[in-house]
Amino acid sequence: MALTQTDLKGVLPLIARGKVRDVYQLNEDSLLFVATDRISAYDCIMNNGIPAKGKLLTALSEHWFSLLSSVCPNHLISTSVPESIPEALRPQLEGRSMVVRKLKVFPVEAIVRGYITGSAWAEYKRSGTVHGIKVKEGMVESEAFETPLFTPSTKAEQGKHDENIHPDEVKKLVGEKYAARIAELAIQLYSKALDFASSRGIIIADTKFEFGLDTTTDEVVLVDEVLTPDSSRFWLASSYEKGRPQDSYDKQYLRNWLTKEGLRGKDGVEMPDDIAVGTKQKYVEVYEMLTGKKWC
């Protein structure tokens, strides 16, 4: 059964419910992130969830935070349920909790694209650009860019839509110094993850990072989740062929169903069981390939 909402009975103050995570105030310096089984597509949350999805996201994020720690600091403190949580409330948190540093989050989705697909492909066909960036002529769907592109978007409030923006617009949102650092780190993180995933037979077509600021050290810190099927497009390298859409190990399975049924961008959608099961299977397969661990 999917866990679509947590309830800590007032033990910790609830700060927010995002598209996936319930966020609680743990203390003055840290937060408790709980990954529920909610799933969103096209900025709309489905009525029902994907069983154990939150646990998969948490386990995969922990894997990537460890692997990428040499590139930049991250906000993860622990994936253990805090001792202050009463025994009766702990089952809903087990396997899906992250205790994280409380930081000032930049209002930018730091998207990196290694391959042209999705909204980037749609824009390119219209104007020959990606997020307003001119790229080479004659590209075909799913083709690799010559170098990875930093293609940010705004970080919209709950219920609103993110907007693709040119990298120069980030300077207006966070200042030139932080904009440059965010872009630099996003490319470095993507490149290291791409190399690792390639060794496991997976192509990371694109992904989204989020960053926060440690105001005591002035460091830009990797936050939120990282390189999960919720925030990335994963393709099977052995079946990759440019010039066509790819079979994705991510939310594309759900997106395809929504588009086919005319439900794209609509609220209140209930996934049928076969779509929920199929989506979970995609998540499990890519988790096992990337981590080398069997999902129980």
Side-chain angles (χ1 to χ4, degrees):
M1 185 175 178
L3 177 74
T4 56
Q5 186 169 298
T6 58
D7 182 4
L8 297 189
K9 310 294 184 183
V11 171
L12 296 177
L14 176 68
I15 294 176
R17 293 196 197 278
K19 292 174 183 174
V20 174
R21 283 165 185 76
D22 292 348
V23 182
Y24 294 90
Q25 179 83 36
L26 188 56
N27 54 47
E28 195 173 299
D29 301 315
S30 59
L31 304 171
L32 175 64
F33 278 19
V34 186
T36 71
D37 297 331
R38 296 192 293 267
I39 189 167
S40 69
Y42 301 119
D43 291 321
C44 295
I45 301 172
M46 303 296 105
N47 273 0
N48 52 333
I50 308 293
K53 170 178 168 283
K55 294 183 178 182
L56 279 158
L57 297 187
T58 301
L60 195 52
S61 287
E62 185 178 21
H63 165 81
W64 286 116
F65 278 131
S66 176
L67 187 72
L68 300 173
S69 60
S70 62
V71 177
C72 72
N74 63 67
H75 70 160
L76 181 63
I77 298 171
S78 171
T79 54
S80 299
V81 177
E83 293 181 1
S84 60
I85 305 298
E87 191 64 35
L89 301 177
R90 299 176 76 85
Q92 63 185 305
L93 306 181
E94 294 287 355
R96 56 177 81 241
S97 295
M98 293 198 306
V99 177
V100 302
R101 297 158 61 191
K102 187 177 181 181
L103 301 167
K104 178 183 176 182
V105 178
F106 292 108
V108 175
E109 305 274 9
I111 300 165
V112 181
R113 302 180 189 272
Y115 294 74
I116 190 163
T117 187
S119 63
W121 173 238
E123 179 187 336
Y124 178 78
K125 288 189 292 182
R126 289 194 308 269
S127 60
T129 60
V130 175
H131 287 235
I133 304 166
K134 186 68 177 176
V135 296
K136 73 174 185 178
E137 296 180 358
M139 292 191 74
V140 297
E141 186 174 8
S142 303
E143 183 177 349
F145 292 110
E146 293 175 315
T147 58
L149 294 182
F150 174 61
T151 56
S153 73
T154 58
K155 184 174 170 58
E157 296 178 5
Q158 183 77 12
K160 297 184 179 180
H161 297 291
D162 300 337
E163 291 185 16
N164 292 347
I165 56 176
H166 189 279
D168 289 346
E169 294 296 310
V170 179
K171 299 174 187 177
K172 300 176 184 178
L173 294 172
V174 303
E176 189 168 347
K177 180 178 80 169
Y178 297 126
R181 184 60 174 155
I182 288 169
E184 177 186 37
L185 287 175
I187 294 293
Q188 289 177 357
L189 290 164
Y190 172 80
S191 298
K192 182 164 184 175
L194 181 69
D195 288 345
F196 175 84
S198 295
S199 73
R200 300 298 178 96
I202 293 291
I203 293 170
I204 305 174
D206 54 43
T207 195
K208 169 188 71 73
F209 299 109
E210 293 190 33
F211 296 95
L213 180 66
D214 185 332
T215 55
T216 60
T217 63
D218 202 37
E219 280 186 307
V220 175
V221 178
L222 181 63
V223 302
D224 199 58
E225 66 175 21
V226 59
L227 289 152
T228 73
D230 269 15
S231 62
S232 314
R233 280 189 178 90
F234 295 121
W235 296 341
L236 191 64
S238 61
S239 62
Y240 168 73
E241 182 182 7
K242 68 179 183 181
R244 61 169 178 83
Q246 309 300 307
D247 184 24
S248 295
Y249 288 80
D250 50 58
K251 286 199 291 190
Q252 196 59 45
Y253 186 85
L254 172 59
R255 293 190 193 105
N256 290 346
W257 175 79
L258 290 168
T259 300
K260 178 184 175 184
E261 298 297 321
L263 298 172
R264 176 173 176 164
K266 294 187 178 181
D267 292 314
V269 174
E270 184 96 7
M271 292 176 291
D273 289 345
D274 63 316
I275 297 301
V277 170
T279 301
K280 180 181 178 179
Q281 188 58 37
K282 293 285 188 181
Y283 280 47
V284 169
E285 287 178 21
V286 79
Y287 168 85
E288 292 182 344
M289 290 185 71
L290 288 169
T291 66
K293 299 175 183 178
K294 188 73 176 173
W295 181 256
C296 299

